[in-house]
Each structure stands twice: as C-alpha cells, then as structure tokens.
C-alpha cells in the first residue's frame, strides 16, 4: 500500500496517453499554435504499460486513461487490455469526449474497460460547437448512447460549469431522470489563464462554487416540477463510492447529480492520486509545477529506477494546492 508523506493512501493513477485532441474546448486547449511535441517525446504504449505494472506493485489499484483525447491514440485498446491484466490493477476507466466511442466501444469493452466519463458541457447544439470549437453535438450524444448500450457502468457525464456561459443546467438534471446517467458538475478551473492559452480571459469569477450551484439546481428543479434534490446518504448509493464528488438525486431518477469542487471546497485532504503525462512526467499534484522524470527511468533504467521515481513523487505530494490554480501546462497536457 502506498502512502504519501501526509499519510494519504495513494491508489489511483491518471494516465494521459496523448496531448492531442479532435476538439478544441475553449477552457482546455487553444485552437491554433499548440507546439506539438515530436512522437518520440511521448511515452510508447509499452512504456506506459510498464509504468502501470511497477505502480501496481506499489499499491496503485485504479487507472484512468485520459488526454488530450485518449481515443485518438492508436492502440489504446491494447493499452487497456494490458492494464486490465496487470496484477494488482482492479479497474481501468477512461475520460473521453465520446466522439469516437461508436467506433471503438466494443473493442474497449472487450479489452476490459469498465467505465467511462464523457465530457459534455451543454445540451444545446450551437453552444456545444461554440465551446468545443470543432464538435457536433450529435456525435457526443451517439457516444453516450453507445456507452450505455455497450454496458459500461457507470456512465458519467462531466459538465464543466462556467458562469459566463450561462449553461442550461436544469437540462442536465433532466438527463439524469430517464437513463442511468450520472451527471457531475465540475467547477471551472482557470488553469490556462496563467500561461495565456485557454479560457477566453475567464477568471476565478467564472467558477461557480458548488454550494451556489447546488442551490441553483435545487431551486430550478423544484420550480420545474422535477421534485426534491436530495443528498445521497450512503456511499453504496453513489455510482462508485464517494470519490471526490458529493452526490444528490432527484426523486424517481435513474441517475444521480454529482458536484466536484476542486476549488471552493477542495478535496486535497482525501487526494488519492498521481498523474502521468503523455511525455512521461509524473505529477504529484494538478496545480503544482513539481514533476518527476518517469520517461528517463523507463527508457534508461530498471524497474527499481521507475519505482524510485514513483516514490519520489509520493514523497513530494503537497498537502494541498494552497489555492494556487494554474501551472506551466494547459489542461490537455495534464489530463484533467
Ligand atoms: N478529452 C477528454 C475529455 O474531454 O473528457 C479527456 C481529457 S480532458 C482534459 C479531462 C477533463 O478535464 C474533461 O472532463 C474536461 O472537461 C476537464 N477540463 C478541461 N479543462 C478544464 C478546466 N479549465 N476546468 C475544469 N475542468 C476542465
Ligand atoms: Fe479535448 Fe477534452 Fe480538452 Fe475538450 S476537454 S479540448 S475534448 S482534451
């Protein structure tokens, strides 16, 4: 079992498999001018699989594949298969924009992928195109339909809420009624602002604190006759335990509504994760520039060297992000 220097139990690894993407969401990635790193700078799938195998011997049990868009990485299903077969790994999940799921869901499921989070910030076609710059909402809807039909469980919808966007959040509450969809509202993080790349100048004022959001949705759901928004009382009622979200549900709903607050009520005290970037940097915290060179250990070293990098990162995990938001990287380079 791995513990960090603050006694937190670390069993979760988020792996960004690429910094490339088939969309260009306003808050995540600039439309143009991204300085693409050469292919050789990225970890190969074999290197990622080896890192996961070493991490599993140190107590990592759960893997989430992310990006950029993980489904644009060729061979991603092979990586899923090898991660699933790694002794000690209990679940392999993915965060995706869902666009390529209709093509790839079957092979991912057969490879052992158990769950998917699909990012969708609006149910309005024009607003979807505006936010993603390149996307067509029907493609995301087809991705969601496919995820449910393929049997991924749970299927969660990640909604980044930005005050200036005036998203119709009640529409998402409705979405949780008819199908087993677990909608999670995520506070916008003005990450890219500090390096000038993303967010259209949105600042911390564009982050709607979870408490405000819960009130807002609760009131508008009641006014629309959707019933009472009730907090789930037991972890067993949540889609997969508690995680960092607080979960609620509307009476009679098949799904739930979750609220994730990285900022207004951060969960650093319960942080259980490390992040591996596509370039092989191991990051102890989303909001820190601290990084550890896993790529060099993977390319030039033994498994013991890889383990040493992992233990260095664990030993350096900050106790909290200390309200610093923003690093030298944009979100598509970290993986969210
Ligand atoms: N392309 C995949 C997707 O969109 O789901 C995976 C990568 S994306 C970087 C992972 C998550 O980070 C997505 O749910 C996305 O909405 C979220 N994200 C990106 N930029 C963000 C920001 N500035 N604030 C909050 N969440 C953000
Ligand atoms: Fe791509 Fe996901 Fe970033 Fe959107 S949020 S640009 S889909 S990586």
């Amino acid at each position: 079992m791995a513990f960090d220097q603050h006694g937190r139990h670390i069993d979760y690894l988020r792996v960004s498999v690429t910094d490339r993407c088939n969309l260009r969401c306003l808050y995540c990635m600039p439309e143009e001018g991204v300085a693409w790193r050469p292919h050789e700078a990225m970890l190969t799938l074999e290197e990622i699989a080896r890192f996961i195998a070493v991490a599993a011997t140190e107590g990592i049990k759960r893997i989430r594949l992310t990006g950029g868009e993980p489904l644009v990485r060729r061979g991603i299903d092979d990586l899923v298969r090898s991660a699933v077969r790694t002794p000690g790994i209990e679940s392999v999940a993915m965060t995706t924009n869902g666009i390529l799921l209709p093509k790839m869901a079957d092979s991912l499921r057969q490879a052992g992928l158990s769950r998917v989070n699909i990012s969708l910030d609006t149910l309005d076609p024009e607003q979807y195109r505006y936010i993603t710059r390149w996307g067509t909402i029907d493609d995301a809807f087809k991705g969601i339909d496919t995820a449910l039909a393929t049997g991924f469980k749970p299927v969660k919808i990640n909604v980044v809420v930005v005050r200036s966007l005036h998203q119709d959040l009640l529409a998402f509450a409705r979405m949780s009624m008819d199908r087993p969809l677990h909608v999670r509202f995520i506070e916008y993080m003005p990450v890219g602002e500090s390096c000038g790349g993303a967010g259209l100048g949105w600042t911390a004022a564009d982050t709607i604190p979870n408490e405000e959001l819960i009130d807002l949705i609760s009131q508008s759901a009641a006014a629309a006759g959707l019933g009472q928004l009730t907090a789930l009382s037991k972890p067993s009622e949540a889609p997969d335990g508690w995680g960092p979200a607080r979960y609620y549900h509307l009476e009679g709903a098949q799904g739930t509504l979750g609220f994730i607050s990285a900022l207004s009520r951060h969960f650093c005290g319960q942080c259980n994760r490390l992040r591996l970037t596509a370039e092989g940097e191991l990051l102890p915290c989303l909001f820190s520039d601290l990084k550890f060179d896993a790529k060099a250990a993977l390319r030039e070293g033994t498994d013991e060297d890889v383990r040493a990098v992992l233990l260095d990162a664990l030993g350096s995990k900050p106790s909290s992000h200390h309200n610093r938001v923003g690093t030298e990287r944009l979100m598509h380079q970290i993986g969210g």
Side-chain angles (χ1 to χ4, degrees):
M1 250 194 205
F3 287 91
D4 74 358
Q5 56 178 357
H6 305 288
R8 291 171 298 194
H9 179 203
I10 310 299
D11 64 358
Y12 178 37
L13 178 68
R14 292 179 71 99
V15 180
S16 172
V17 295
T18 179
D19 57 355
R20 308 195 178 206
C21 188
N22 46 1
L23 299 180
R24 288 288 182 278
C25 301
L26 292 171
Y27 48 68
C28 178
M29 196 169 178
E31 183 166 23
E32 288 172 353
V34 181
W36 299 118
R37 304 279 292 134
H39 241 52
E40 316 77 73
M42 302 292 155
L43 292 185
T44 63
L45 295 180
E46 291 73 23
E47 287 165 345
I48 296 174
R50 181 169 162 225
F51 186 87
I52 290 173
V54 173
T57 65
E58 286 301 321
I60 293 294
K61 293 186 168 54
R62 294 185 301 127
I63 303 291
R64 178 166 293 276
L65 303 174
T66 173
E69 172 49 41
L71 295 181
V72 304
R73 178 84 196 244
R74 195 169 299 159
I76 186 71
D77 45 351
D78 293 332
L79 179 61
V80 169
R81 190 171 298 106
S82 98
V84 165
R85 288 180 183 166
T86 302
I89 296 300
E90 294 173 0
S91 86
V92 179
M94 183 179 283
T95 300
T96 167
N97 59 35
I99 304 284
L100 293 173
L101 273 179
K103 274 195 202 139
M104 299 172 70
D106 278 342
S107 65
L108 291 166
R109 187 80 182 116
Q110 277 162 24
L113 189 74
S114 49
R115 51 184 73 180
V116 288
N117 291 4
I118 299 175
S119 301
L120 179 68
D121 302 329
T122 176
L123 298 179
D124 175 75
E126 277 176 29
Q127 193 175 41
Y128 183 80
R129 170 56 61 96
Y130 174 71
I131 294 173
T132 62
R133 291 196 183 98
W134 293 357
T136 302
I137 202 164
D138 281 345
D139 294 339
F141 288 156
K142 283 181 199 149
I144 294 171
D145 294 346
T146 306
L148 288 170
T150 309
F152 291 113
K153 210 169 168 195
V155 176
K156 297 183 189 171
I157 307 297
N158 283 359
V159 185
V160 175
V161 183
V162 181
R163 201 183 289 277
S164 304
L165 284 175
H166 305 291
Q167 293 135 291
D168 179 357
L169 301 175
L170 193 59
F172 283 105
R174 287 203 170 89
M175 199 177 183
S176 75
M177 296 294 297
D178 310 333
R179 297 197 287 174
L181 290 172
H182 303 280
V183 179
R184 299 166 345 136
F185 298 102
I186 299 173
E187 286 179 353
Y188 163 66
M189 297 178 262
V191 168
E193 294 306 316
S194 61
C195 50
L200 298 185
W202 297 332
T203 64
D206 276 299
T207 304
I208 306 188
N210 268 188
E211 300 301 336
E212 184 183 337
L213 204 58
I214 292 168
D215 278 354
L216 228 135
I217 292 180
S218 168
Q219 283 163 19
S220 47
L226 288 183
Q228 189 83 22
L229 188 67
T230 315
L232 299 187
S233 53
K234 296 192 290 267
S236 58
E237 294 171 342
D240 56 355
W242 286 128
R246 283 184 289 161
Y247 282 102
Y248 291 71
H249 79 129
L250 288 163
E251 212 180 315
Q254 293 193 42
T256 58
L257 299 177
F259 296 85
I260 301 187
S261 166
L263 298 180
S264 70
R265 212 170 108 153
H266 66 74
F267 42 85
C268 301
Q270 290 89 48
C271 185
N272 59 353
R273 60 199 60 190
L274 290 173
R275 290 179 162 81
L276 183 67
T277 68
E279 279 203 69
E281 298 163 326
L282 191 59
L283 310 180
C285 173
L286 178 60
F287 296 130
S288 156
D289 286 330
L290 274 176
K291 57 186 177 195
F292 296 83
D293 192 352
K295 182 166 63 184
L298 285 162
R299 293 201 173 160
E300 292 149 29
T302 62
D303 283 359
E304 278 318 306
D305 296 319
V306 177
R307 194 185 320 280
V309 173
L310 191 101
L311 295 177
D312 276 352
L314 277 178
S316 312
K317 231 177 119 52
S319 60
S320 141
H321 58 53
H322 304 296
N323 292 327
R324 174 181 182 215
V325 178
T327 72
E328 60 189 24
R329 296 175 195 79
L330 289 171
M331 211 53 135
H332 73 102
Q333 296 162 321
I334 308 172

PDB file of all heavy atoms in Angstrom, residues 173-187:
ATOM      1  N   ALA A 173     -30.061  18.085 -15.284  1.00  0.00           N
ATOM      2  CA  ALA A 173     -30.800  17.413 -14.208  1.00  0.00           C
ATOM      3  C   ALA A 173     -31.832  16.474 -14.830  1.00  0.00           C
ATOM      4  O   ALA A 173     -32.010  15.327 -14.397  1.00  0.00           O
ATOM      5  CB  ALA A 173     -31.466  18.454 -13.309  1.00  0.00           C
ATOM      6  N   ARG A 174     -32.483  16.947 -15.879  1.00  0.00           N
ATOM      7  CA  ARG A 174     -33.478  16.110 -16.581  1.00  0.00           C
ATOM      8  C   ARG A 174     -32.814  14.864 -17.160  1.00  0.00           C
ATOM      9  O   ARG A 174     -33.384  13.784 -17.163  1.00  0.00           O
ATOM     10  CB  ARG A 174     -34.131  16.897 -17.727  1.00  0.00           C
ATOM     11  CG  ARG A 174     -35.096  17.941 -17.254  1.00  0.00           C
ATOM     12  CD  ARG A 174     -36.113  18.294 -18.358  1.00  0.00           C
ATOM     13  NE  ARG A 174     -37.165  19.112 -17.809  1.00  0.00           N
ATOM     14  CZ  ARG A 174     -37.141  20.437 -17.751  1.00  0.00           C
ATOM     15  NH1 ARG A 174     -36.113  21.092 -18.247  1.00  0.00           N
ATOM     16  NH2 ARG A 174     -38.133  21.101 -17.203  1.00  0.00           N
ATOM     17  N   MET A 175     -31.615  15.061 -17.646  1.00  0.00           N
ATOM     18  CA  MET A 175     -30.895  13.952 -18.286  1.00  0.00           C
ATOM     19  C   MET A 175     -30.666  12.790 -17.315  1.00  0.00           C
ATOM     20  O   MET A 175     -30.578  11.630 -17.713  1.00  0.00           O
ATOM     21  CB  MET A 175     -29.540  14.503 -18.745  1.00  0.00           C
ATOM     22  CG  MET A 175     -28.846  13.708 -19.776  1.00  0.00           C
ATOM     23  SD  MET A 175     -27.336  14.630 -20.200  1.00  0.00           S
ATOM     24  CE  MET A 175     -26.724  13.570 -21.473  1.00  0.00           C
ATOM     25  N   SER A 176     -30.563  13.116 -16.039  1.00  0.00           N
ATOM     26  CA  SER A 176     -30.324  12.053 -15.039  1.00  0.00           C
ATOM     27  C   SER A 176     -31.601  11.300 -14.696  1.00  0.00           C
ATOM     28  O   SER A 176     -31.563  10.297 -13.986  1.00  0.00           O
ATOM     29  CB  SER A 176     -29.729  12.654 -13.760  1.00  0.00           C
ATOM     30  OG  SER A 176     -30.742  13.332 -13.023  1.00  0.00           O
ATOM     31  N   MET A 177     -32.764  11.800 -15.186  1.00  0.00           N
ATOM     32  CA  MET A 177     -34.041  11.184 -14.797  1.00  0.00           C
ATOM     33  C   MET A 177     -34.291   9.862 -15.525  1.00  0.00           C
ATOM     34  O   MET A 177     -34.558   8.842 -14.904  1.00  0.00           O
ATOM     35  CB  MET A 177     -35.227  12.124 -15.116  1.00  0.00           C
ATOM     36  CG  MET A 177     -35.269  13.424 -14.364  1.00  0.00           C
ATOM     37  SD  MET A 177     -35.543  13.247 -12.598  1.00  0.00           S
ATOM     38  CE  MET A 177     -37.163  12.524 -12.509  1.00  0.00           C
ATOM     39  N   ASP A 178     -34.176   9.929 -16.858  1.00  0.00           N
ATOM     40  CA  ASP A 178     -34.697   8.820 -17.671  1.00  0.00           C
ATOM     41  C   ASP A 178     -33.716   7.692 -17.916  1.00  0.00           C
ATOM     42  O   ASP A 178     -34.094   6.606 -18.314  1.00  0.00           O
ATOM     43  CB  ASP A 178     -35.117   9.347 -19.062  1.00  0.00           C
ATOM     44  CG  ASP A 178     -35.999  10.557 -18.935  1.00  0.00           C
ATOM     45  OD1 ASP A 178     -36.661  10.660 -17.902  1.00  0.00           O
ATOM     46  OD2 ASP A 178     -36.005  11.398 -19.866  1.00  0.00           O
ATOM     47  N   ARG A 179     -32.423   7.984 -17.760  1.00  0.00           N
ATOM     48  CA  ARG A 179     -31.436   6.949 -18.055  1.00  0.00           C
ATOM     49  C   ARG A 179     -30.425   6.922 -16.905  1.00  0.00           C
ATOM     50  O   ARG A 179     -30.264   7.920 -16.186  1.00  0.00           O
ATOM     51  CB  ARG A 179     -30.726   7.255 -19.372  1.00  0.00           C
ATOM     52  CG  ARG A 179     -31.701   7.248 -20.547  1.00  0.00           C
ATOM     53  CD  ARG A 179     -30.999   7.137 -21.875  1.00  0.00           C
ATOM     54  NE  ARG A 179     -30.309   8.376 -22.248  1.00  0.00           N
ATOM     55  CZ  ARG A 179     -29.524   8.487 -23.318  1.00  0.00           C
ATOM     56  NH1 ARG A 179     -29.320   7.458 -24.101  1.00  0.00           N
ATOM     57  NH2 ARG A 179     -28.945   9.628 -23.600  1.00  0.00           N
ATOM     58  N   PRO A 180     -29.713   5.815 -16.740  1.00  0.00           N
ATOM     59  CA  PRO A 180     -28.754   5.731 -15.623  1.00  0.00           C
ATOM     60  C   PRO A 180     -27.490   6.531 -15.904  1.00  0.00           C
ATOM     61  O   PRO A 180     -26.398   5.984 -15.996  1.00  0.00           O
ATOM     62  CB  PRO A 180     -28.475   4.230 -15.515  1.00  0.00           C
ATOM     63  CG  PRO A 180     -28.740   3.691 -16.880  1.00  0.00           C
ATOM     64  CD  PRO A 180     -29.798   4.552 -17.499  1.00  0.00           C
ATOM     65  N   LEU A 181     -27.668   7.841 -16.062  1.00  0.00           N
ATOM     66  CA  LEU A 181     -26.531   8.718 -16.322  1.00  0.00           C
ATOM     67  C   LEU A 181     -26.217   9.501 -15.059  1.00  0.00           C
ATOM     68  O   LEU A 181     -27.119  10.047 -14.411  1.00  0.00           O
ATOM     69  CB  LEU A 181     -26.861   9.675 -17.473  1.00  0.00           C
ATOM     70  CG  LEU A 181     -26.967   9.015 -18.856  1.00  0.00           C
ATOM     71  CD1 LEU A 181     -27.490  10.002 -19.898  1.00  0.00           C
ATOM     72  CD2 LEU A 181     -25.604   8.457 -19.281  1.00  0.00           C
ATOM     73  N   HIS A 182     -24.952   9.540 -14.728  1.00  0.00           N
ATOM     74  CA  HIS A 182     -24.514  10.222 -13.509  1.00  0.00           C
ATOM     75  C   HIS A 182     -23.814  11.511 -13.932  1.00  0.00           C
ATOM     76  O   HIS A 182     -22.685  11.474 -14.426  1.00  0.00           O
ATOM     77  CB  HIS A 182     -23.623   9.293 -12.699  1.00  0.00           C
ATOM     78  CG  HIS A 182     -24.330   8.021 -12.380  1.00  0.00           C
ATOM     79  ND1 HIS A 182     -25.240   7.926 -11.344  1.00  0.00           N
ATOM     80  CD2 HIS A 182     -24.330   6.817 -12.996  1.00  0.00           C
ATOM     81  CE1 HIS A 182     -25.746   6.701 -11.331  1.00  0.00           C
ATOM     82  NE2 HIS A 182     -25.220   6.008 -12.318  1.00  0.00           N
ATOM     83  N   VAL A 183     -24.531  12.614 -13.787  1.00  0.00           N
ATOM     84  CA  VAL A 183     -24.039  13.898 -14.274  1.00  0.00           C
ATOM     85  C   VAL A 183     -23.226  14.554 -13.163  1.00  0.00           C
ATOM     86  O   VAL A 183     -23.705  14.680 -12.033  1.00  0.00           O
ATOM     87  CB  VAL A 183     -25.225  14.811 -14.656  1.00  0.00           C
ATOM     88  CG1 VAL A 183     -24.722  16.162 -15.132  1.00  0.00           C
ATOM     89  CG2 VAL A 183     -26.094  14.153 -15.724  1.00  0.00           C
ATOM     90  N   ARG A 184     -22.010  14.938 -13.478  1.00  0.00           N
ATOM     91  CA  ARG A 184     -21.164  15.567 -12.458  1.00  0.00           C
ATOM     92  C   ARG A 184     -20.789  16.979 -12.887  1.00  0.00           C
ATOM     93  O   ARG A 184     -20.222  17.178 -13.957  1.00  0.00           O
ATOM     94  CB  ARG A 184     -19.917  14.745 -12.217  1.00  0.00           C
ATOM     95  CG  ARG A 184     -20.316  13.359 -11.719  1.00  0.00           C
ATOM     96  CD  ARG A 184     -19.264  12.333 -11.743  1.00  0.00           C
ATOM     97  NE  ARG A 184     -18.116  12.647 -12.527  1.00  0.00           N
ATOM     98  CZ  ARG A 184     -16.877  12.432 -12.098  1.00  0.00           C
ATOM     99  NH1 ARG A 184     -16.664  11.949 -10.905  1.00  0.00           N
ATOM    100  NH2 ARG A 184     -15.853  12.690 -12.879  1.00  0.00           N
ATOM    101  N   PHE A 185     -21.156  17.927 -12.054  1.00  0.00           N
ATOM    102  CA  PHE A 185     -20.846  19.324 -12.356  1.00  0.00           C
ATOM    103  C   PHE A 185     -19.469  19.634 -11.767  1.00  0.00           C
ATOM    104  O   PHE A 185     -19.236  19.443 -10.576  1.00  0.00           O
ATOM    105  CB  PHE A 185     -21.917  20.238 -11.761  1.00  0.00           C
ATOM    106  CG  PHE A 185     -23.285  19.977 -12.334  1.00  0.00           C
ATOM    107  CD1 PHE A 185     -24.230  19.242 -11.627  1.00  0.00           C
ATOM    108  CD2 PHE A 185     -23.628  20.440 -13.600  1.00  0.00           C
ATOM    109  CE1 PHE A 185     -25.486  18.985 -12.154  1.00  0.00           C
ATOM    110  CE2 PHE A 185     -24.878  20.182 -14.141  1.00  0.00           C
ATOM    111  CZ  PHE A 185     -25.808  19.461 -13.415  1.00  0.00           C
ATOM    112  N   ILE A 186     -18.590  20.130 -12.626  1.00  0.00           N
ATOM    113  CA  ILE A 186     -17.197  20.368 -12.229  1.00  0.00           C
ATOM    114  C   ILE A 186     -16.932  21.866 -12.245  1.00  0.00           C
ATOM    115  O   ILE A 186     -17.257  22.543 -13.228  1.00  0.00           O
ATOM    116  CB  ILE A 186     -16.239  19.668 -13.224  1.00  0.00           C
ATOM    117  CG1 ILE A 186     -16.511  18.157 -13.193  1.00  0.00           C
ATOM    118  CG2 ILE A 186     -14.793  19.977 -12.922  1.00  0.00           C
ATOM    119  CD1 ILE A 186     -15.754  17.382 -14.251  1.00  0.00           C
ATOM    120  N   GLU A 187     -16.371  22.364 -11.169  1.00  0.00           N
ATOM    121  CA  GLU A 187     -16.055  23.795 -11.142  1.00  0.00           C
ATOM    122  C   GLU A 187     -14.989  24.117 -12.186  1.00  0.00           C
ATOM    123  O   GLU A 187     -13.960  23.438 -12.256  1.00  0.00           O
ATOM    124  CB  GLU A 187     -15.519  24.184  -9.755  1.00  0.00           C
ATOM    125  CG  GLU A 187     -16.591  24.231  -8.688  1.00  0.00           C
ATOM    126  CD  GLU A 187     -16.035  24.602  -7.319  1.00  0.00           C
ATOM    127  OE1 GLU A 187     -14.809  24.688  -7.158  1.00  0.00           O
ATOM    128  OE2 GLU A 187     -16.840  24.784  -6.405  1.00  0.00           O
TER     129      GLU A 187
END
